[in-house]
Amino acid sequence: MRYLELREKLIAMFEANGIDEFADIDWIMVEILDVTRSMLPFYGDINGEKEHKIMEAAKKRVNHVPVAYIFGKTNFYGYDLKVNENVLIPRLDTEVLVEKLIEDIKSRNEKVSVLDIGTGSGAIIITIQKETNAKCFAVDISSAALKVATENAKTNRAEVEFVKSDLFEKISDLKVDFIVSNPPYIETEVVKTLDKEVVSNEPNLALDGGEDGLDFYRRIIKDAKHHLNKNGKLYFEIGYNQGESVSALMKDDFEMIEVIKDYGGNDRVVRGVLKG
Ligand SMILES: C[S@@+](CC[C@H](N)C(=O)[O-])C[C@H]1O[C@@H](n2cnc3c(N)ncnc32)[C@H](O)[C@@H]1O
C-alpha cells in the first residue's frame, strides 16, 4: 500500500473514534518507516509487515494511548528521552521554564548549582545540565520515574545526581543557587475530567496537586529558603490560572516575583529571588 492510501485509511479510523490529531498518523509512520516526515509522500510501497505494525500502533492511538508511550520515547528541547507510564510526557509548554532558567544561569558567568524537584523523565534537569554545565541535582518520590530519569541522563551524557525523596526530605543538607519545579498542579476534581490520553495513561502522582492544585507549591515554598544560597532563585511551572495564587504564596520569602507567559499567551512560569 502507498503512503497516501494508508494515511486516508488511518484518518478514517481516527475519525471513527473521534480523534482529530492526524499529525500522530505521520508520527507513527515516521517511527515505523524510519524516514523523516518530509520524505513520507515519497516512500514507495509499504510492505505488509510495516503496514501491520503501523495499524497496530494506530489501534493503540485510537484507544487513547499517546504516541510517545506507544514508542516509549519523545524529544524535549532537542534531547531524545525515554518515557513510559511511570513518567509524565514532557510538554512543549515546559520549554519556556527551561529557556528562562538557562538564560538566567548563563547570565551569571559562574558555575551554579540547580535542584529539580519532581524530575519525572529528567527532562528539565538534563536539559539544564547539558545547556549550562551547572552542578545538577534532582529528586522524585517515584523510584520508577527515577529509573527512567537516570537512564535518560546516561544516554544524553548529562551529569545529574538523582535522589529518591519526598520533596526535600532526603536532601536536608543540600543548598543550591536555583530550585526548579514543575510539580503536580491540577486540582483533584479536574484530574478526572482531563482527556483520556492523560488521565488513563499518565501517572496520577504527576498530575494531582490536591484540592486547589496548590499543595506542592505550598510545601516547596515553605522549605525552599533552607535550601537556597544567598540570592538564590525559585522557578516554578504553573497552570494557566495559578500565576496570582503562586505569586501570593511566594511573597513572604521571595522578592522580584515575576509571572511569565508561554508562547500560547498563558501564564506558565513564576520565579522569584530569595529575600536577603
Ligand atoms: C508534573 S510531573 C513533572 C515531571 C517533569 N519534571 C516534567 O516537567 O516533565 C511531577 C513529578 O513530581 C513527582 N512527585 C510527586 N510527588 C512528589 C513528592 N512528594 N516528592 C517528589 N516528587 C514528587 C511525580 O512523580 C512526577 O514525576
Side-chain angles (χ1 to χ4, degrees), residues 86 88-91 94 116-124 139-142 145 165-167 182-184 205-207 216 219 237:
N86 298 306
L88 186 96
I89 300 166
R91 304 295 203 266
T94 304
D116 175 21
I117 298 180
T119 197
S121 65
I124 295 174
V139 297
D140 204 292
I141 200 167
S142 155
S165 176
D166 178 357
L167 305 187
N182 173 19
L205 193 58
L207 303 170
F216 287 90
R219 289 181 60 198
E237 174 166 326

